[in-house]
């Protein structure tokens, strides 16, 4: 979390913390690797002793909760469980993961007694994970036996205060996750600092670092109305999807649940209403022009785009696929971050999803796990934004929809493991509350985006497979891509997407899949993965526990498998910038599968039941409800990747 503080002034006469002896019962709690530097952050002046700073002590969540989390979500998500579908409330989730009461009391007593602060002035946050109070730098240096300095980012002009190490009483070390300001600094918003020479920068591009928009090309021809099924190997229309997956549109006057809207995440890409209208006119006449998503703007996110020439391929694609499947049910657009940040401003192009998760779960704003609490000072946007959204960061302002589709992502290597692990815990908590999260598995096969890692997007020396993020988290559903091959029909089995460079897109495209280097195989997937290895063992050397640097292996043998399911993701009919085109990408597959689950939820709600929630245990227990894709590969890293096989495969 980022806070405004009083102007920082150079330290001159106050006592150096370095001159204080560290009491015997204290221990170093966090220490920066000084030899490795602090990236682009340059260490500056000491912070004046009288400056007041907001102090936040992140408390370690219940160890029992961490150990039992998987059993909890399996208990309500596995169809064989007596508690199947008995989703938790948000209050029950907070209570389950809260730190132990005795731990809270001991840390509060230490702060209160050391700084002579009445306990009533130490706030215990609603999510139970933080203790909050204000203190002068002098008092904080005394409490933590450290010294604070300004740090400046010469690239972006941002400033924060931080220390190289700090100490806590040894008997409290096991209760405290970490403290800010500490090794992790807090952002500084100060008119005094704005007079300095560090300049803000704006970096162009759309969407987060590593994200690629769907692949677009002019359509070979507009399908003839009433004859669309004859050309589904060239252009996938709503009629093709209905034939492939055996469903019909709802009657346009159907009564639908007011609490079953489909959520779609977007960032740095914006739909155009004119394009939606053209699509409805030509392909879904039962949907009236003007139909559009409900906007839940997150931290200044705005849509639709006013200028048709600036229409976003990703946003248009998502709504042109989802709306025809679920209409007259509604869609909800989570348009995230103001334009400055969404397009890479101020260097915040690495972090992704944190501000979105803040907005749909207020407890996540200050949730502490894996050494990370709140938004990351380096990776995530800072609000108010002097270049855009002037409000405070949104926390818990929107209720999450039952189903959320995400067609954005990066590679595991792009973000720290702790950042991904903390988000994964949040996906688990959303699953406990009955929310289904679907994520596109990526478009570069077993590799990554060229230039991300090695030149070919792979790890180590350009040969090790690169897993995608957030896909490796076990508590969401990954959706890979299939296609109707040329000369095939919608009445024949689909194949995995394998489009060589230039056929038809400029870059090669194949469905993302593989095994995580961070997360282990979840219990619901263990049998399917074991069967795959036993019956269809890949012809590559492998390693264990994500340790590819000390191995000649190409993939992690005991990592969470990606993807879980698949849906069509090639030659998709769209309108973009007023023109008819076709697009490809797992960006299409995720909203298709997610929309079908929205339809399933509609039927459950009519029957007096709740949403399916985290659906993976059901799918892996009953794979016969899915079409088995047995043809195709996902090449990358100088290999053919993994081959499709009967049953689950990566």
């Amino acid at each position: 979390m980022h806070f405004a503080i009083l102007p920082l002034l150079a330290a001159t006469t106050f006592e150096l913390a370095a001159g204080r002896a560290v009491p015997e019962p204290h221990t170093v709690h966090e220490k920066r690797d000084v030899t490795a530097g602090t990236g682009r952050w340059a260490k500056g002046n000491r912070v004046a002793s009288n400056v007041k700073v907001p102090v936040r002590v992140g408390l370690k969540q219940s160890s029992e909760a961490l150990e039992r989390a998987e059993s909890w979500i399996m208990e309500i998500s596995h169809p064989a469980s007596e508690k199947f579908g008995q989703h938790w409330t948000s209050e029950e989730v907070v209570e389950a993961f809260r730190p132990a009461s005795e731990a809270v009391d001991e840390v509060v007593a230490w702060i209160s007694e050391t700084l002579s602060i009445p306990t009533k002035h130490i706030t215990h946050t609603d999510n139970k994970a933080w203790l909050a109070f204000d203190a002068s730098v002098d008092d904080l240096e005394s409490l933590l036996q450290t010294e604070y300095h300004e740090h400046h980012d010469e690239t972006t002009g941002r400033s924060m205060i931080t220390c190289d190490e700090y100490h806590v009483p040894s008997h409290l070390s096991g209760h405290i996750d970490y403290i800010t300001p500490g090794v992790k600094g807090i952002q500084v918003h100060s008119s005094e600092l704005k007079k300095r020479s560090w300049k803000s920068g704006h970096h162009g591009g759309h969407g987060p670092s590593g994200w690629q928009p769907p692949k677009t090309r002019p359509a070979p021809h507009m399908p003839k109305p009433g004859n669309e099924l004859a050309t589904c190997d060239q252009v996938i229309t709503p009629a093709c999807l209905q034939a492939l997956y055996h469903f019909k549109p709802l009657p346009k006057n159907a009564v639908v649940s007011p609490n079953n809207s489909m959520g779609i995440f977007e960032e740095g890409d914006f739909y155009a209403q004119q394009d939606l209208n053209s699509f409805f006119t030509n392909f879904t006449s039962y949907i009236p022009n003007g139909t559009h998503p409900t906007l839940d703007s997150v931290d200044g996110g705005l849509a639709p785009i006013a200028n048709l020439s600036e229409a976003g391929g990703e946003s248009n694609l998502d709504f042109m696929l989802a709306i025809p499947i679920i209409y007259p049910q509604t869609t909800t657009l989570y348009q995230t971050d103001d334009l400055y940040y969404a397009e890479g401003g101020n260097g915040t192009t690495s972090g992704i999803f944190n501000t979105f998760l803040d907005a749909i779960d207020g407890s996540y704003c200050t949730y502490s796990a894996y050494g990370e609490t709140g938004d990351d000072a380096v990776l995530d946007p800072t609000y108010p934004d002097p270049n855009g959204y002037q409000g405070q960061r949104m926390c818990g302002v929107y209720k999450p929809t039952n189903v959320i589709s995400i067609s954005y992502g990066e590679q595991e290597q792009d973000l720290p493991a702790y950042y991904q692990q903390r988000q994964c815990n949040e996906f688990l908590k959303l699953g406990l509350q009955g929310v289904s999260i679907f994520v596109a598995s990526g478009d570069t096969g077993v590799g990554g985006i060229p230039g991300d890692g090695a030149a070919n997007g792979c790890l180590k020396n350009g040969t090790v497979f690169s897993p995608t993020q957030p896909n490796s988290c076990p508590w969401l559903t990954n959706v890979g891509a299939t296609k109707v091959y040329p000369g095939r029909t919608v009445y024949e089995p689909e194949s995995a997407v394998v489009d060589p460079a230039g056929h038809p897109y400029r870059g090669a495209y194949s469905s993302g899949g593989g095994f995580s280097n961070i997360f282990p195989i979840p219990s619901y997937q263990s049998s399917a993965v074991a069967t795959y290895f036993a019956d269809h063992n890949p012809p590559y050397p492998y390693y264990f526990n994500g340790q590819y640097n000390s191995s000649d292996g190409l993939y992690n043998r005991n990592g969470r498998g990606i993807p879980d399911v698949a849906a069509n993701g090639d030659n998709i009919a769209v309108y973009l910038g007023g023109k008819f085109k076709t697009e490809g990408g797992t960006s299409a597959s995720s909203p298709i599968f997610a929309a079908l689950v929205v339809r399933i939820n509609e039927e459950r709600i009519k029957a007096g039941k709740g949403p399916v929630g985290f659906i993976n245990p059901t799918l892996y227990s009953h794979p016969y409800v899915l079409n088995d894709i047995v043809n195709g590969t996902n090449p990358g890293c100088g290999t053919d990747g993994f081959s499709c096989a009967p049953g689950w495969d990566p």
Side-chain angles (χ1 to χ4, degrees):
M1 201 172 204
H2 312 309
F3 303 85
I5 66 171
L6 298 176
L8 303 180
L9 303 174
T12 54
T13 61
F14 63 95
E15 181 184 8
L16 293 178
R20 298 172 175 141
V22 177
E24 183 65 28
H26 281 59
T27 186
V28 174
H29 193 67
E30 279 194 291
K31 184 175 183 178
R32 189 190 312 282
D33 182 358
V34 179
T35 60
T38 56
R40 61 176 186 255
W41 291 89
K43 189 174 183 177
N45 297 327
R46 287 285 303 277
V47 183
S49 61
N50 63 330
V51 169
K52 284 278 189 179
V53 294
V55 185
R56 303 295 182 261
V57 179
L59 302 167
K60 287 188 177 178
Q61 61 186 316
S62 166
S63 58
E64 179 186 8
L66 287 175
E67 293 170 359
R68 296 185 61 190
E70 179 171 354
S71 64
W72 285 337
I73 194 167
M74 291 297 293
E75 191 175 54
I76 63 166
S77 302
H78 198 288
S81 170
E82 293 182 356
K83 294 186 177 180
F84 177 72
Q86 297 180 21
H87 299 124
W88 296 18
T89 64
S90 58
E91 292 78 15
E92 288 172 332
V93 171
V94 168
E95 187 64 27
F97 286 86
R98 66 179 297 172
S101 297
E102 57 271 21
V104 177
D105 293 342
E106 290 181 27
V107 176
V108 168
W110 163 60
I111 297 168
S112 177
E113 294 167 7
T114 305
L115 299 183
S116 299
I117 297 176
T119 56
K120 66 180 181 180
H121 291 163
I122 301 173
T123 301
H124 192 195
T125 57
D126 290 342
N127 73 343
K128 314 301 182 185
W130 275 96
L131 295 175
F133 61 95
D134 292 336
S136 69
V137 166
D138 186 54
D139 282 344
L140 189 56
E141 288 184 332
S142 177
L143 178 72
L144 302 180
Q145 303 298 324
T146 190
E147 59 182 38
Y148 285 94
H149 286 255
E150 301 175 21
H151 278 72
H152 306 281
D153 185 340
E154 297 182 4
T155 301
T156 67
R158 287 192 293 168
S159 299
M160 65 179 177
I161 64 172
T162 182
C163 63
D164 290 332
E165 69 176 38
Y166 63 89
H167 305 76
V168 300
S170 301
H171 72 285
L172 298 180
S173 183
H175 300 332
I176 296 172
D177 193 349
Y178 76 110
I179 298 173
T180 62
V183 171
K184 177 182 178 181
I186 59 171
Q187 293 288 323
V188 177
H189 302 287
S190 168
S191 58
E192 179 69 19
L193 287 179
K194 288 180 182 177
K195 298 176 184 177
R196 301 176 186 241
S197 60
W198 295 280
K199 304 295 184 183
S200 295
H202 185 99
H203 306 285
H206 290 281
S209 171
W211 171 80
Q212 288 187 320
K215 295 146 184 64
T216 305
R217 67 182 176 109
H221 59 79
M222 172 75 77
K224 295 180 181 179
N227 195 37
E228 296 170 53
L229 298 187
T231 56
C232 292
D233 61 333
Q234 302 170 51
V235 181
I236 293 290
T237 66
C240 296
L241 294 177
Q242 292 162 23
L244 278 170
Y245 304 130
H246 308 289
F247 71 94
K248 294 181 180 180
L250 289 168
K252 60 182 180 181
N253 59 350
V255 176
V256 295
S257 169
N259 299 315
N260 193 38
S261 183
M262 175 176 167
I264 296 178
F265 168 93
E266 305 287 355
E267 182 168 6
D269 188 278
F270 314 93
Y271 81 91
Q273 187 62 51
Q274 302 98 308
D275 283 337
L276 293 190
N277 292 344
S278 296
F279 186 87
F280 299 149
T281 297
N282 285 280
F283 295 112
T284 54
S285 57
Y286 57 92
I287 300 177
N289 285 355
T291 300
H292 61 83
T294 299
L295 174 64
D296 279 2
S297 171
V298 178
D299 298 333
L302 297 176
I305 199 75
N307 189 341
L308 185 60
S309 65
E310 297 178 358
E314 179 59 59
S315 298
N316 277 7
L317 176 69
D318 288 340
F319 293 109
M320 290 174 191
L321 287 168
I323 292 175
I325 295 175
I326 66 172
Y327 184 83
Q329 184 52 268
T330 61
T331 54
T332 296
L333 166 58
Y334 295 110
Q335 190 75 46
T336 302
D337 289 321
D338 65 22
L339 188 63
Y340 183 63
Y341 283 123
E343 293 194 339
N346 222 22
T348 55
T349 58
S350 297
I352 186 171
F353 304 128
N354 264 1
T355 48
F356 162 62
L357 294 172
D358 291 339
I360 64 172
D361 181 4
S363 72
Y364 186 74
C365 291
T366 52
Y367 171 61
S368 183
Y370 302 100
E372 177 80 346
T373 310
D375 291 342
D376 191 283
V378 176
L379 299 174
D380 294 314
T382 304
Y383 293 109
D385 175 13
N387 301 288
Y389 173 65
Q390 296 293 308
Q392 296 293 324
R393 179 179 49 139
M394 291 181 169
C395 289
V397 297
Y398 301 121
K399 178 179 173 59
T401 52
N402 294 333
V403 171
I404 298 173
S405 177
I406 299 173
S407 291
Y408 297 68
E410 303 186 56
Q411 304 301 116
E412 273 190 342
Q413 63 166 332
D414 293 334
L415 292 166
Y418 63 77
Y419 189 96
Q420 298 175 60
Q421 289 166 329
R422 178 172 171 267
Q423 282 189 355
C424 190
N425 255 27
E426 178 63 15
F427 290 128
L428 184 147
K429 291 181 178 181
L430 290 170
L432 283 172
Q433 296 171 69
V435 178
S436 305
I437 310 286
F438 296 88
V439 184
S441 71
D443 301 344
T444 51
V446 295
I449 298 168
D452 188 0
N456 63 353
C458 301
L459 304 177
K460 200 175 179 179
N461 55 4
T463 61
V464 176
F465 300 169
S466 178
T468 47
Q469 186 278 339
N471 310 86
S472 55
C473 174
W475 314 122
L476 45 76
T477 305
N478 292 294
V479 190
T482 60
K483 69 178 293 183
V484 177
Y485 274 23
R488 300 287 183 172
T489 73
V490 291
Y491 306 109
E492 299 173 89
E494 294 174 271
S495 299
V497 171
V498 188
D499 289 344
H503 302 278
Y505 312 106
R506 184 170 61 179
Y509 161 39
S510 60
S511 181
F515 299 91
S516 171
N517 284 323
I518 296 176
F519 297 95
I521 302 170
S523 60
Y524 64 78
Q525 194 185 48
S526 59
S527 177
V529 173
T531 298
Y532 169 73
F533 285 143
D535 296 346
H536 312 286
N537 197 37
Y540 311 120
Y542 50 83
Y543 52 88
F544 289 100
N545 303 322
Q547 300 301 310
Y548 59 86
N549 279 316
S550 58
S551 167
D552 293 327
L554 302 188
Y555 70 96
N556 191 29
R557 189 74 166 189
N558 60 346
R560 185 265 204 266
I562 304 166
D564 300 298
V565 295
N568 201 279
D570 208 7
N571 298 323
I572 307 291
V574 296
Y575 271 84
L576 181 62
K579 297 179 180 179
F580 174 59
K581 301 176 182 292
T582 58
E583 289 188 350
T586 55
S587 294
S589 310
S590 181
I592 290 171
F593 203 102
L596 291 171
V597 174
V598 172
R599 291 284 299 269
I600 292 171
N601 281 339
E602 281 289 337
E603 298 303 315
R604 287 180 58 83
I605 291 170
K606 286 180 184 177
K609 301 179 180 181
V612 294
F614 178 54
I615 200 171
N616 289 15
T618 295
L619 296 178
Y620 279 89
S621 298
H622 302 285
Y624 54 83
V625 304
L626 302 169
N627 300 325
D628 195 3
I629 307 301
V630 297
N631 180 58
T633 60
N634 57 350
C637 307
T639 75
D640 291 332
F642 298 108
S643 297
C644 287
W648 179 86
D649 56 70

